């Protein structure tokens, strides 16, 4: 097999015919597969089934005697805060444990800044068109929050060691309407990229033109390693303190892909002073989070090491799925030279850049053969991938056999769309 | 014993000396009681302990086969929606089941209107000083939300059949900056008042000057009867539909005082068209509520009748506490003619109007003898009771014996403060 670019028109026509044959064979099988969302598989959820019965009718008190059934404790159970603090390597006083969704905590923080400003500064909603930097490709739900609040999004390329920091520094220091940046610093969604120490340090040393600039550090995959050797990132909170920017970072994480996606606990971390400010809103907003569910997590995991041990079981389930995807991509696409991708060592996705101008076509072809992928463009603000080439693959939810079928189809469609495109030109 | 107003100065002095003796006797006992918040007692929480173990490691699916452990269903489990719909006597399509707090749902609705307007109308935050009507006495946490969003609050007297509707109609129809009104229509917080059918119909027929006016109908105590004969209120949603105002009401309720205060489920209800609008925000805000906790509630209560049966057990625990309060008030305060109060047949509070200008003093006296009450003024916007006379008693949390002690002390302090006041003048 040779690179597409070196094929003659005749060779391309032949190749197309063969690919179409394979494609139609797939189509005739009436598949109905979904590789679109980063959901844990049923076997992963089973790992936590013990949590469904870990509490008993006489076990509802926290270490300090607090009755978790009743109202109170707007920042969460102390022992749950400690588990998050240990995992994030920070102080429990710098953590708020919330409900079941870190996305809700991010949304709410931005909603708060729109109406009340950052720490009672001028509300973002009254400063004209505020903007966020969005490393791309990125997480569609981050972008949806910005779009909802009419926050203008500016694309910043994501490299294999993090966002283009030259560009980030230049923009952040020159435009006071740039108020935030979305980061998934470890096993980024979708590329699986891990931010280098230098990247983290450059973040900590930013000199924003806006004094109400914030780094939204969504550490969603902090412990979601696939391999034996977990990737390490520097602690942004500590680095920001050292750099004299203690209040700049807001860190988010959750157990949505640790215990139960719909019924886990989420947390945010920030400087003590930021936390105190945020708690003031919390006390108006709610009388307290679901402490029984936090207690369930405490009983089930016991401590941070319990969580880490649990994550190894997730990794054992996910490794073969990621291997199936990466091996097939390598086998089918490398010789063709039509696509590039990172090889993630953690997280929930494989992100593939197919031939320019063909991502939409690939997703459509897959769909017409029964495999739903994340929509092309979803990994870019406003759903607009300027080169129409990035596709996010989410191999975690379907069983391994289905992943194998889906990725084979994806490879066929990727090649077919590329061949079609070359024949057009 | 005679009415205070008929006592001579000498009689007042004698009375004062006797009251001080009783007061000091209390003080020397070093009590540490809390009647400040509407929290269920431990025995009430015990009623739901079965819910802690109602799910098992292989019971996590909804009726429709949905795996409640995973992401999804932003508006809640269908069977949980049905239970709320049956209790509210509306259609399940008109219900969203959320997390553990109806307060959070109210807060969020107002936050949404501030930045995005009501159904994409002009944002409240850009209309100048928007206002809410606040029937008084009322719920401090409602007022805190308004204060947080800088919404000006206007007091409206609450009568024994609901708010002063002449005043409500006049204000709402004349001022386009009046955007909402807080109502607790059944067993109101704190008076325990039940809105009459006429009041509900007049609400439904309001002709607001603002087309983005909303009724915040916090039906927190919809099934929280104390007696055998539950109070009935008309269905606001139906009445508003009939009156051609289908989108005016937003109804909130929760199981916070049905199952576990900190770990229950909350719901909101509105026209289908309002619900569809609200869901759009919800899908940006979260990937879904905690469906396992909703399933726990479904398994435990089974249906609306199961909930109603459960509420009878709550009533049996609460009746003696309310009786102790009301009997003592009657015994100690009626002869004196220094205070008035409603006799609630449901809800969580007894609200007492003590002698004008003495509420703060009564609360202080109680505190100095070891009984914490809700702060004087808390039942009014901005914490300002213009007559300094309303005090909210919350007899549900302490055990019956403590309620008896606390209410006796309260009566002594109420009389003592009144006598002091008369002697001053």
């Amino acid at each position: 097999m040779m690179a597409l670019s070196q094929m003659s028109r005749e060779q391309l026509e032949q190749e197309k015919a063969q690919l179409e044959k394979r494609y139609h064979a797939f189509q005739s099988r009436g598949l109905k597969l979904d590789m679109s969302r980063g959901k844990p598989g049923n076997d992963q959820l089973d790992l936590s089934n013990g949590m469904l019965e870990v509490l008993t009718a006489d076990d509802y008190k926290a270490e300090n005697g607090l009755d978790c059934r009743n109202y109170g404790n707007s920042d969460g159970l102390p022992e749950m805060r400690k588990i998050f603090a240990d995992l994030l390597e920070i102080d429990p006083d710098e953590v708020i444990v919330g409900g079941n969704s870190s996305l809700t905590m991010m949304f709410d923080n931005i909603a708060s800044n729109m109406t009340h400003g950052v720490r009672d500064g001028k509300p973002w909603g009254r400063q004209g068109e505020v903007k966020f930097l969005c490393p791309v490709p990125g997480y569609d739900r981050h972008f949806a929050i910005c779009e909802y609040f009419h926050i203008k999004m500016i694309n910043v390329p994501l490299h294999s060691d993090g966002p283009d920091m030259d560009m980030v520094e230049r923009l952040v220091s020159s435009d006071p309407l740039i108020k935030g940046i979305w980061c998934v610093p470890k096993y980024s969604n979708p590329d699986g990229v891990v931010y280098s120490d230098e990247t983290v340090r450059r973040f900590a040393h930013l000199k924003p033109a806006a004094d109400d600039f914030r780094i939204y550090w969504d550490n969603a995959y902090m412990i979601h390693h696939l391999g034996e050797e977990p990737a390490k990132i520097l602690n942004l909170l500590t680095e920001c303190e050292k750099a004299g920017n203690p209040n700049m970072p807001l860190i988010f994480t959750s157990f949505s892909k640790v215990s139960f996606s719909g019924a886990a606990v989420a947390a945010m971390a920030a400087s003590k002073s930021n936390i105190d400010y945020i708690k003031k809103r919390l006390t108006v907003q709610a009388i307290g989070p679901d402490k029984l569910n936090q207690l369930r997590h405490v009983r089930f995991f016991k401590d941070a090491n319990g969580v880490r041990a649990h994550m190894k079981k997730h990794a054992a389930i996910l490794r073969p799925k990621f291997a199936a995807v990466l091996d097939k991509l390598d086998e089918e696409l490398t010789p063709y030279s039509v696509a590039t991708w990172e090889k993630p060592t953690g997280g929930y996705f494989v992100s593939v850049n197919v031939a320019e101008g063909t991502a939409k076509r690939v997703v459509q072809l897959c769909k017409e053969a029964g495999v739903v992928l994340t929509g092309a463009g979803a990994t870019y603000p406003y759903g607009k991938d300027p080169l129409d080439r990035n596709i996010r693959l989410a191999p975690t939810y379907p069983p391994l056999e289905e992943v194998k079928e889906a990725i084979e189809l994806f490879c066929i469609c990727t090649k077919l769309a590329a061949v079609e495109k070359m024949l057009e030109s």
Side-chain angles (χ1 to χ4, degrees), chain A:
Chain A
M1 214 182 287
M2 57 172 72
L4 268 196
S5 57
Q6 295 176 332
M7 288 187 191
S8 68
R9 195 162 186 93
E10 201 187 340
Q11 284 171 316
L12 284 171
E13 293 284 6
Q14 277 173 9
E15 192 65 32
K16 181 165 179 254
Q18 279 173 13
L19 287 166
E20 280 173 343
K21 204 173 150 193
R22 285 179 75 190
Y23 180 74
H24 292 311
F26 254 96
Q27 238 181 350
S28 65
R29 287 164 60 194
L31 293 179
K32 237 186 136 178
L33 308 180
D34 191 329
M35 278 219 303
S36 71
R37 300 300 317 175
K39 293 164 67 170
N42 295 339
D43 42 3
Q44 289 179 269
L45 297 168
D46 288 345
L47 296 173
S48 298
N49 279 356
M51 193 185 290
L52 289 167
E53 40 190 44
V54 76
L55 293 187
T56 59
D58 53 9
D59 178 16
Y60 46 74
K61 288 199 175 168
E63 272 172 36
N64 62 6
L66 183 85
D67 188 333
C68 298
R69 302 171 305 175
N70 221 322
Y71 288 117
N73 269 59
S74 63
D75 54 354
L77 273 199
E79 46 266 61
M80 190 70 226
R81 287 219 309 277
K82 178 157 172 31
I83 291 179
F84 274 115
D86 288 349
L87 291 170
L88 291 164
E89 298 176 331
I90 57 173
D91 195 272
D93 282 350
E94 295 166 327
V95 177
I96 291 173
V97 184
N100 74 328
S101 166
S102 56
L103 191 72
T104 301
M105 296 178 103
M106 296 176 222
F107 180 100
D108 193 63
N109 188 275
I110 288 175
S112 175
N113 294 341
M114 292 306 289
T115 54
H116 287 71
V118 169
R119 299 173 61 127
D120 297 329
K122 190 170 184 186
W124 286 358
R126 292 193 189 156
Q127 294 195 37
E129 187 179 53
V130 300
K131 306 166 198 170
F132 261 51
L133 301 185
C134 300
V136 288
Y139 180 33
D140 53 354
R141 290 187 187 272
H142 288 163
F143 304 152
I145 293 175
C146 279
E147 204 164 350
Y148 180 79
F149 284 105
H150 309 296
I151 295 171
K152 186 178 172 186
M153 292 178 272
I154 299 169
N155 294 358
V156 173
L158 183 73
H159 303 311
S160 59
D161 61 349
D164 182 325
M165 291 309 293
D166 290 343
M167 187 171 171
V168 169
E169 285 164 353
R170 183 167 41 78
L171 289 169
V172 164
S173 64
S174 61
D175 186 348
L177 284 173
I178 294 179
K179 301 300 186 188
I181 182 168
W182 289 115
C183 296
V184 182
K186 202 169 179 181
Y187 312 130
S188 72
N189 177 351
D191 277 341
V193 153
V194 178
Y195 288 17
S196 70
D197 291 355
E198 196 201 335
T199 298
V200 177
R201 283 199 197 97
R202 287 176 76 175
F203 265 112
H205 283 87
L206 283 177
K207 304 205 181 324
D211 62 4
D212 53 357
F213 172 84
R214 289 292 180 261
I215 302 169
Y216 289 78
W217 199 253
D218 185 358
N219 207 348
Y221 307 104
M222 63 172 171
I223 45 176
H224 300 60
H225 323 298
L226 284 168
E228 289 302 317
E229 193 107 355
K232 290 253 179 198
I233 54 168
L234 277 185
N235 182 330
L236 181 67
L237 202 55
T238 313
E239 293 302 316
C240 282
E241 272 163 32
K242 283 197 261 175
N245 278 325
N247 297 326
M248 193 163 62
L250 300 169
I251 299 170
F252 301 88
T253 193
S254 84
F255 277 10
S256 293
K257 294 175 182 94
V258 176
S259 60
F260 299 130
S261 307
V265 281
M268 75 175 291
S271 69
K272 179 75 173 55
S273 152
N274 274 342
I275 293 292
D276 288 343
Y277 179 82
I278 292 162
K279 274 197 215 167
K280 284 192 236 163
R281 177 178 172 100
L282 265 183
T283 56
V284 179
Q285 200 168 21
I287 311 183
D290 182 340
K291 297 180 300 297
L292 282 175
N293 203 37
Q294 295 182 11
L295 190 65
R296 239 171 241 122
H297 281 74
V298 169
R299 291 284 183 273
F300 187 71
F301 291 119
K302 298 190 172 60
D303 55 26
N305 279 332
V307 178
R308 291 190 191 102
H310 186 80
M311 292 313 290
K312 291 195 177 165
K313 300 180 196 164
H314 279 285
I317 292 172
L318 291 179
R319 258 195 308 269
K321 293 184 180 180
F322 277 80
V325 168
L326 292 168
D327 289 351
K328 196 71 183 173
L329 289 174
D330 199 36
E331 175 196 331
E332 296 247 7
L333 300 184
T334 299
Y336 253 69
S337 299
V338 285
T340 59
W341 58 93
E342 298 279 341
K343 292 186 173 57
T345 57
Y348 261 59
F349 304 102
V350 176
S351 159
V352 181
N353 285 326
V354 298
E356 278 187 31
T358 68
K360 283 207 179 86
R361 175 68 179 151
V362 171
V363 170
Q364 184 201 353
L365 282 168
C366 283
K367 189 179 171 192
E368 287 168 7
V371 172
V372 177
L373 301 178
T374 310
T379 53
Y380 281 76
Y382 310 105
K384 283 183 196 157
D385 174 359
L387 299 176
D388 185 27
R389 66 168 189 181
N390 186 253
I391 296 177
R392 185 182 83 165
L393 302 176
T396 57
Y397 184 69
L400 181 58
E401 287 315 305
E402 295 187 6
V403 170
K404 285 181 179 170
E405 290 185 310
I407 192 63
E408 184 180 351
L409 176 68
F410 171 78
C411 289
I412 294 168
C413 296
T414 297
K415 291 191 279 190
L416 183 54
V419 169
E420 285 173 353
K421 178 96 183 172
M422 292 200 74
L423 285 169
E424 272 169 26
S425 57

